[in-house]
Amino acid sequence: MVTVTMTVNGRQVSKEVEDRRLLVDFLREDLGLTGTHVGCDTSQCGACVVHLDGKAVKSCTVLAAQADGGSVKTIEGLANGADLHPLQAAFKEHHGLQCGFCTPGMIMSGVDLIERHPDGLDEKTVRVELEGNICRCTGYHNIVKAILAAAEEMRGGMRQAAE
């Protein structure tokens, strides 16, 4: 057993866990943050993507102990209270989800993608970078539209903040 301490969605948490405890299980079972989904147990679907120290990671491939001392953001920590994050709003507006199972991982990957490309995105880049996320319902078209729309909105907000 090992004690892990980390900041999750802005709140410091500390728990004793088994050395082999996966971050996804720690978040879901120990902290009750069930928005992070377990889809494949092989790190191929992307349903479990969270941000660890500001970078998108598949939480089924990270031990909770590896996140010790770090900062984790899950889908539950993305919105600002009742105000959806721009990408969450764009998924709603552009019908970027159907069953919703992949949506948390897609959104967390999308936010990371937008943040890594502050000068803008194109459809090809979005499609290439989403290859690690699987959606069995939508065919990706509306997911890509949502990410591009949110990227443009977020860039506009960044430009205004800089002025």
Side-chain angles (χ1 to χ4, degrees):
M1 298 293 272
V2 62
T3 300
V4 296
T5 302
M6 65 188 79
T7 302
V8 179
N9 297 332
R11 189 180 116 237
Q12 188 165 8
V13 297
S14 189
K15 273 193 133 352
E16 192 172 296
V17 297
E18 287 187 45
D19 296 353
R20 64 182 184 204
R21 185 79 158 160
L22 293 173
L23 181 58
V24 68
D25 296 326
F26 177 74
L27 294 170
R28 289 181 57 79
E29 297 169 20
D30 296 333
L31 302 183
L33 298 171
T34 57
T36 302
H37 293 159
V38 178
C40 66
D41 287 327
T42 60
S43 79
Q44 295 187 20
C45 76
C48 68
V49 172
V50 299
H51 294 180
L52 174 59
D53 296 328
K55 295 182 180 177
V57 298
K58 292 181 179 180
S59 60
C60 74
T61 64
V62 177
L63 296 172
Q66 290 175 290
D68 186 40
S71 178
V72 176
K73 183 177 278 191
T74 70
I75 191 73
E76 291 92 345
L78 203 54
N80 183 11
D83 296 329
L84 294 177
H85 182 279
L87 187 51
Q88 290 172 308
F91 260 67
K92 181 179 176 185
E93 181 182 336
H94 295 279
H95 310 288
L97 59 104
Q98 284 185 17
C99 82
F101 192 82
C102 72
T103 303
M106 286 285 188
I107 289 175
M108 297 306 287
S109 292
V111 169
D112 178 70
L113 174 59
I114 291 167
E115 290 174 352
R116 286 186 292 106
H117 295 273
D119 294 330
L121 286 167
D122 58 40
E123 182 176 340
K124 181 180 180 189
T125 302
V126 173
R127 288 185 181 277
V128 166
E129 294 218 19
L130 283 182
E131 285 182 354
N133 293 72
I134 296 174
C135 175
R136 294 186 171 131
C137 301
T138 68
Y140 302 92
H141 184 68
N142 290 340
I143 292 169
V144 173
K145 280 178 29 180
I147 291 172
L148 291 171
E152 194 57 37
E153 179 183 337
M154 291 169 69
R155 269 184 63 206
M158 286 183 236
R159 278 193 301 260
Q160 289 175 356
E163 294 173 353

